[in-house]
Amino acid sequence: MTKYTDQGKQDTRSGFGAGMTELGRTNPNVVALCADLVGSLKIETFIEENPERFFQVGIAEANMMGIAAGLTIGGKIPFASSFANFATGRVYDQIRQSIAYSDKNVKICASHAGLTLGEDGATHQILEDIGLMKMLPGMTVINPCDFNQTKAATLAIAEHHGPVYLRFGRPKVANFTPVDQKFEIGKALMLNEGTDVTIIATGHLVWEALLAAESLENQGISAEVINIHTIKPLDEKAILDSAKKTGCVVTAEEHNYLGGLGESVARTLASHHPTPQEFVATQDTFGESGTPEQLMEKYGLNNKAIEKAVLRVLKRK
Amino acid sequence: MPNTEELQDLVVQVRRDILRMVHKVNSGHPGGSLGCTEFFVALYNEIMDLKEGFDMDGKGEDLFFLSNGHISPVFYSVLARRGYFPIEELGTFRLINSRLQGHPTTHEGLPGVRVASGSLGQGMSVAIGAALAKKLNGDDHLVFSLHGDGELQEGQNWEAIMYAAGNKVDNLIATVDRNGQQIDGATENVLPLGDVGEKFRAFGWDVMHIENGNDLDQVIAGLKEAKSRTGKGKPVCIVMTTEMGNGVDFMMHTHAWHGKAPNDEQLANALAQNPETLGDY
């Protein structure tokens, strides 16, 4: 199978920070807002180099979303950042009315998504944010898989006119996609061609999907691996082409199985090409404290869980 | 600039528009709309520096944000009569396929509206953002906003009030329509607001009052005074006392007409109290 090399573990939030640094230098309309989490969002360099284009709003996320909406009036491109829980569920109506319904060009940038922020526990581990955001008409939802891809996505969304939800995380994970890749919103990436099963993964689960595919290859199972970094709009053609070829699908995401990538894929398949599908996702539950690795093991979100799901779905072909 | 008599004629005509709009669809919010008629007429025809036509960015002109979006009838009427869209379109208020939605929105492309409002408490944050964009753009025009008094019960306002003072957003004039009424009754019974002006002042705003927000001269003078106080390091708050339902005797001194339309007979009575001046739509 296609070989991918970990260039050294890094956190996706630092990819966001690197993207912001570059945008600060190249796009004078980009402004940043943060709700008392500058260090966690890795935007110190942007702030240092562009102090007049940074707005510290304090612990007041609702106000941040409104100010971001207002800044677009006058041509600014606001990147409003916080933890995923506080950037979505806490301020859903502000996003809905002042940003999405008002067609505002705001980029909602959310770190610490999913279980992998670890020890802080369930108050901070949102597993519902993809669902919340994808249900908003006009909202683009992006969940890149590693440092390089998060940086590329950060640059790409500045060029896209319209509200965007960019989701990333805290743990250091494999960095395996190309440096300076071009990021095409809504375009799935074929990471490994296979014939027996399609694994469709997003975010931190993409690397786990590649590990699973490698193990499966050793068992004589040929797994196709697709990286869906954009959950909305979804690259339906890539999904359907692959499902028609392999005849079964496993989706993998660090999110509740309700409302996540898996459901979007299931809707696509059910509408156009009904196909057996297994879901690697949390099972309608809150998280808890623990190390990221322990949590991913306990909640069934790692390469072993993907492998098991593949073996299950193959029996349903 | 039109003279005061012309503006007073416009006030009466806008009242007629409001009443006819809500009557036609048997829904909408006449009470607060009628109470803020003088404010809107003054703002759009005497106070704000506006460009011809409409573009979303609004660079090089003053901007206005309506936070209490339910008083859309007065907003739409004044926008139409200021030339943002044809006054005939007022007849489509709240109808299917209309740009004049129940609550204002940018979504249907209605000129003059820059953000959706209706879910309360969000407008001040948006106005602050627009004011910050003006500062970044080196645009010395002002941002105006209007808020219901009951709406101040939403916590987001106080985040915004704290932010604006703390960050010296001094190109912003936020007016609170202090009519003392909300859907379930008097504000002081539903959830007491106390002294609104003192609260803003405690947060660091420059606060002034318009004692009678239904006296056109007072409103114009107050808004001019507020403009003169901008650019001095503090956001400006106007606490404007109004009478909900003003101009229609049976709609005043009660919260009953917050969100209720008059029937045929009541409409005739109300219109008789506000004779046609500039021509109905």
Side-chain angles (χ1 to χ4, degrees):
Chain A
M1 69 174 270
T2 314
K3 272 283 170 205
Y4 290 89
T5 309
D6 177 7
Q7 300 152 35
K9 291 197 176 351
Q10 277 187 283
D11 43 359
T12 50
R13 59 179 169 157
S14 288
F16 168 67
M20 289 304 291
T21 299
E22 188 164 327
L23 284 173
R25 293 169 186 165
T26 57
N27 190 335
N29 284 325
V30 167
V31 298
L33 302 91
C34 195
D36 198 31
L37 288 168
V38 163
S40 296
L41 269 294
K42 303 291 180 188
I43 52 175
E44 295 101 328
T45 306
F46 178 94
I47 296 168
E48 197 180 306
E49 295 182 358
N50 314 277
E52 75 292 347
R53 285 195 272 146
F54 171 67
F55 302 95
Q56 170 63 268
V57 300
I59 310 165
E61 295 82 6
N63 189 39
M64 175 169 74
M65 292 305 170
I67 291 178
L71 277 161
T72 66
I73 301 163
K76 302 303 162 196
I77 307 170
F79 282 63
S81 59
S82 184
F83 286 174
N85 188 28
F86 314 137
T88 59
R90 187 180 178 96
V91 290
Y92 197 63
D93 189 45
Q94 285 77 15
I95 295 173
R96 181 176 182 274
Q97 175 173 283
S98 293
I99 296 175
Y101 185 44
S102 293
D103 309 306
K104 296 302 181 220
N105 190 25
V106 174
K107 317 305 172 187
I108 299 162
C109 303
S111 184
H112 293 51
L115 289 173
T116 49
L117 69 89
E119 292 80 354
D120 276 348
T123 55
H124 289 50
Q125 292 164 335
I126 193 162
L127 295 161
E128 309 90 46
D129 55 321
I130 291 173
L132 288 171
M133 291 297 110
K134 81 176 186 184
M135 282 197 295
L136 289 171
M139 183 67 72
T140 295
V141 178
I142 298 175
N143 186 27
C145 65
D146 68 359
F147 175 96
N148 287 339
Q149 193 162 79
T150 307
K151 181 183 176 191
T154 304
L155 300 178
I157 63 176
E159 301 297 320
H160 167 85
H161 190 88
V164 174
Y165 179 59
L166 181 66
R167 177 195 214 238
F168 42 90
R170 176 173 185 263
K172 288 188 163 62
V173 293
N175 186 27
F176 61 95
T177 64
V179 180
D180 298 327
Q181 62 191 279
K182 182 162 167 39
F183 188 94
E184 205 176 328
I185 294 170
K187 179 81 177 158
L189 296 172
M190 175 68 74
L191 296 186
N192 186 54
E193 294 196 25
T195 51
D196 297 330
V197 61
T198 302
I199 306 174
I200 301 171
T202 190
H204 293 145
L205 272 289
V206 175
W207 178 251
E208 298 296 324
L210 288 170
L211 295 179
E214 208 171 292
S215 170
L216 289 162
E217 189 181 42
N218 295 334
Q219 301 165 51
I221 297 165
S222 166
E224 184 144 297
V225 180
I226 297 175
N227 173 7
I228 294 281
H229 53 59
T230 307
I231 293 160
K232 184 186 171 187
L234 189 64
D235 190 343
E236 297 197 335
K237 183 174 185 306
I239 291 166
L240 290 167
D241 285 351
S242 183
K244 284 172 190 166
K245 180 170 68 169
T246 66
C248 65
V249 168
V250 168
T251 51
E253 60 193 310
E254 192 181 342
H255 190 273
N256 195 352
Y257 76 99
L258 297 171
L261 167 68
E263 278 198 351
S264 290
V265 170
R267 189 199 58 79
T268 302
L269 294 173
S271 302
H272 304 285
H273 186 75
T275 307
Q277 178 183 350
E278 291 285 328
F279 299 75
V280 172
T282 56
Q283 304 297 304
D284 200 20
T285 179
F286 292 105
E288 63 180 289
S289 293
T291 67
E293 296 74 23
Q294 288 169 337
L295 291 163
M296 296 300 257
E297 171 77 24
K298 177 168 178 177
Y299 288 86
L301 299 181
N302 56 15
N303 58 316
K304 286 184 286 181
I306 294 171
E307 210 177 309
K308 283 183 197 158
V310 165
L311 298 176
R312 285 199 306 274
V313 83
L314 283 170
K315 291 184 191 146
R316 296 172 53 200
K317 272 175 89 166
Chain B
M1 292 284 174
N3 63 39
T4 310
E5 199 173 315
E6 287 169 336
L7 287 182
Q8 195 56 55
D9 284 347
L10 182 54
V11 165
V12 175
Q13 190 60 49
V14 168
R15 285 214 162 88
R16 290 181 66 86
D17 291 347
I18 294 165
L19 292 161
R20 295 175 67 236
M21 286 162 74
V22 298
H23 168 263
K24 179 175 177 183
V25 291
N26 193 28
S27 71
H29 298 77
S33 296
L34 292 166
C36 288
T37 303
E38 285 83 1
F39 174 83
F40 274 88
V41 165
L43 193 66
Y44 271 88
N45 297 280
E46 184 76 21
I47 300 298
M48 285 205 293
D49 181 19
L50 298 168
K51 293 188 298 193
E52 284 305 307
F54 175 76
D55 67 76
M56 183 55 79
D57 280 350
K59 290 179 183 168
E61 65 179 330
D62 292 339
L63 302 180
F64 171 72
F65 294 93
L66 176 65
S67 189
N68 47 333
H70 56 276
I71 66 166
S72 56
V74 64
F75 191 24
Y76 293 152
S77 169
V78 169
L79 285 177
R81 291 186 181 274
R82 186 65 173 72
Y84 281 93
F85 54 87
I87 58 170
E88 294 73 33
E89 205 168 336
L90 295 174
T92 70
F93 175 59
R94 284 182 173 241
L95 296 177
I96 191 84
N97 299 324
S98 172
R99 298 196 291 181
L100 278 59
Q101 292 289 296
H103 294 78
T105 172
T106 61
H107 206 63
E108 325 298 332
L110 186 69
V113 181
R114 288 194 166 86
V115 76
S117 59
S119 177
L120 293 171
Q122 300 187 26
M124 195 180 299
S125 303
V126 178
I128 290 168
L132 293 172
K134 287 218 174 287
K135 284 180 181 269
L136 281 176
N137 288 333
D139 179 349
D140 61 3
H141 284 80
L142 299 173
V143 175
F144 293 83
S145 60
L146 180 66
H147 313 266
D149 51 0
E151 184 187 12
L152 296 178
Q153 291 159 359
E154 291 282 4
Q156 184 183 346
N157 285 301
W158 302 97
E159 297 180 5
I161 291 164
M162 196 184 305
Y163 182 93
N167 291 278
K168 301 182 170 54
V169 185
D170 60 2
N171 53 345
L172 171 67
I173 299 174
T175 300
V176 177
D177 174 20
R178 190 73 173 107
N179 61 25
Q181 305 287 341
Q182 58 190 110
I183 296 178
D184 279 355
T187 56
E188 300 318 288
N189 292 334
V190 176
L191 180 61
L193 298 170
D195 189 329
V196 170
E198 280 305 314
K199 286 189 163 75
F200 273 83
R201 195 170 286 123
F203 274 72
W205 286 55
D206 183 8
V207 178
M208 51 173 285
H209 293 264
I210 295 177
E211 300 301 337
N212 183 356
N214 298 120
D215 178 323
L216 188 59
D217 291 333
Q218 268 195 45
V219 173
I220 291 170
L223 285 167
K224 284 182 176 170
E225 164 75 13
K227 278 176 77 166
S228 75
R229 295 196 192 188
T230 58
K232 294 183 167 61
K234 290 183 175 184
V236 179
C237 168
I238 303 173
V239 180
M240 179 175 75
T241 305
T242 69
E243 181 62 51
M244 195 185 249
N246 190 64
V248 178
D249 55 11
F250 63 89
M251 291 186 173
M252 294 163 70
H253 313 295
T254 171
H255 65 272
W257 296 90
H258 167 89
K260 190 174 86 168
N263 62 26
D264 293 349
E265 197 180 322
Q266 289 161 334
L267 177 70
N269 182 353
L271 291 179
Q273 297 174 42
N274 293 276
E276 194 171 347
T277 54
L278 305 176
D280 288 337
Y281 64 82

